[in-house]
Amino acid sequence: MKNTITLHDLSFEKFITKTNVQHAVNGVAVRLNEDYRGKCPVFLTVLNGAFLFSSELIKKFDHDCELSFIKVASYEGTQQSDEIHTVMGAEPSLKGRDVIVVEDIVDSGNTVETIIKILKDEEVASFKIATLLYKPEAYKKPYKIDYIGLEVPNDFVVGYGLDYNGLGRNLTSIYKLKESTMTNLVLFGPPGAGKGTQAEVLKEKYNLVHISTGDVFRYNIKNATELGTLAKSYIDKGQLVPDSVTIKMLNAEVEKNADAKGFIFDGFPRTEAQAEALAVLLASKNTGVSGMVALEVDDEVLVQRLLERGKTSGRADDADEAVIRNRIKVYYAETAILKGFYEKQDKYHGVDGVGTVSEITDRLSKVIDTL
Ligand code: IMP
Ligand code: MG
């Protein structure tokens, strides 16, 4: 069977082979056969995920037993939520019975807790928890998990009953979400902060692809690509190019560099909507923005630097102090929103942008190395 699979928008890699899953099931079955000799327990299977595990388990169970099912739900996509609701309760009553709760995976323990409450209300004679997989790092409850097939790290897994948004339950091996090893930077800096210079250096140092939105626009317009022509039609009318067009252009750049170790986004995102669109684009590659890195330079230093540059660059917008100050103002107005956006995700990193090129690179590297 394949080592990497895709379910919906995410890739998963093989993590526990079919054989090892079978060993884990056998291990639990052997112990249950020992412990329930002479009893007639009720296997209470937690739907949907545990159906495969429980069906194999009871086939290996040597004594009399009965079956019952309960259905609770807590997961949305790959994210755990605290809210658990009972979709289907156990029928008939479990009063006075020896119950073996069969779970596919115990994560936070919220589900187990909910079920234990139900069992106590039902006044069962005894209960034990049997789970195929257990995430010790995620488990936050005091209840003992009596039978564990395998302990797994705190990663999202699918297969052998476990799903991602409905898919993956029929896989006979267990797969885990592929972790991204990409470094994706959103680089910010006011005009004159040395962003272009640092992007060049970082690109070499970290083997990243530098995507300057301005360059991407110019390239597409110059080569009259479909998107370039579309973008130009807005620009010619003096209108802003819609986010959807910009995102499509960036998407094409990202696609062109499918093997990249990461990207430096420069000049993008400019708005929260764009930042959200970028997150979606990168999520489809199983990755995300590693961090927003903003060069911080005092306004007066910037004005002096740009006026100095204006003397030789010939750029009209570098020659006029009022124009310079306005560009700086616009930058801060735009960045404030994005700073807030990435701060909320703990991804904003301000870096002192005053010093020599290599001093600033060192400061940036210190941040990037921790991402
Ligand atoms: P808990 O309530 O946090 O212990 O989570 C238990 C339930 O969440 C399981 O029965 C699964 O349905 C689901 N779950 C937890 N971790 C995973 C996972 O890694 N993949 C798929 N489903 C999971
Ligand atoms: Mg479940």
Side-chain angles (χ1 to χ4, degrees), residues 279-297:
V280 172
L281 167 62
L282 293 175
S284 73
K285 310 251 163 293
N286 269 9
T287 184
V289 168
S290 321
M292 168 179 177
V293 196
L295 290 172
E296 292 170 344
V297 181

Side-chain angles (χ1 to χ4, degrees), residues 20 49 73 125 174 177 191 195 352:
N20 286 340
I174 289 175
L177 187 61
K195 193 162 55 99
D352 180 5

Side-chain angles (χ1 to χ4, degrees), residues 9 73 131 136 207 264 284 360:
D9 55 336
T131 185
N207 199 7
I264 301 175
S284 73
I360 299 167

Side-chain angles (χ1 to χ4, degrees), residues 96-111:
R97 302 301 305 267
D98 295 309
V99 177
I100 303 168
V101 177
V102 185
E103 256 290 27
D104 49 358
I105 186 162
V106 175
D107 186 309
S108 68
N110 287 339
T111 308

Side-chain angles (χ1 to χ4, degrees), residues 46-49 103-104:
V46 184
L47 295 175
N48 294 330
E103 256 290 27
D104 49 358

Side-chain angles (χ1 to χ4, degrees), residues 25-165:
V25 178
N26 287 340
V28 174
V30 166
R31 292 184 51 209
L32 289 174
N33 278 327
E34 283 285 327
D35 295 352
Y36 284 85
R37 202 177 301 260
K39 292 184 181 154
C40 178
V42 181
F43 282 88
L44 180 63
T45 301
V46 184
L47 295 175
N48 294 330
F51 81 101
L52 251 181
F53 176 44
S54 79
S55 77
E56 301 247 339
L57 201 57
I58 59 160
K59 281 190 269 178
K60 297 176 199 297
F61 191 69
D62 298 333
H63 320 296
D64 285 347
C65 66
E66 289 179 37
L67 305 184
S68 187
F69 300 89
I70 189 167
K71 184 165 179 173
V72 295
S74 70
Y75 254 73
E76 288 272 339
T78 62
Q79 288 305 308
Q80 247 286 359
S81 91
D82 278 348
E83 218 163 292
I84 299 206
H85 44 276
T86 308
V87 182
M88 182 185 104
E91 289 282 343
S93 167
L94 297 169
K95 187 174 168 135
R97 302 301 305 267
D98 295 309
V99 177
I100 303 168
V101 177
V102 185
E103 256 290 27
D104 49 358
I105 186 162
V106 175
D107 186 309
S108 68
N110 287 339
T111 308
V112 160
E113 177 168 70
T114 306
I115 289 169
I116 289 177
K117 263 188 214 136
I118 295 171
L119 296 179
K120 286 185 175 161
D121 286 349
E122 290 260 312
E123 299 174 357
V124 299
S126 74
F127 66 84
K128 295 268 156 102
I129 313 287
T131 185
L132 177 65
L133 304 177
Y134 170 59
K135 294 181 182 171
E137 292 158 44
Y139 191 62
K140 294 195 281 281
K141 304 292 177 189
Y143 318 104
K144 180 167 177 242
I145 307 301
D146 308 278
Y147 304 93
I148 294 168
L150 283 166
E151 288 193 0
V152 291
N154 198 4
D155 296 311
F156 189 79
V157 292
V158 294
Y160 203 82
L162 291 144
D163 72 310
Y164 164 52
N165 278 353

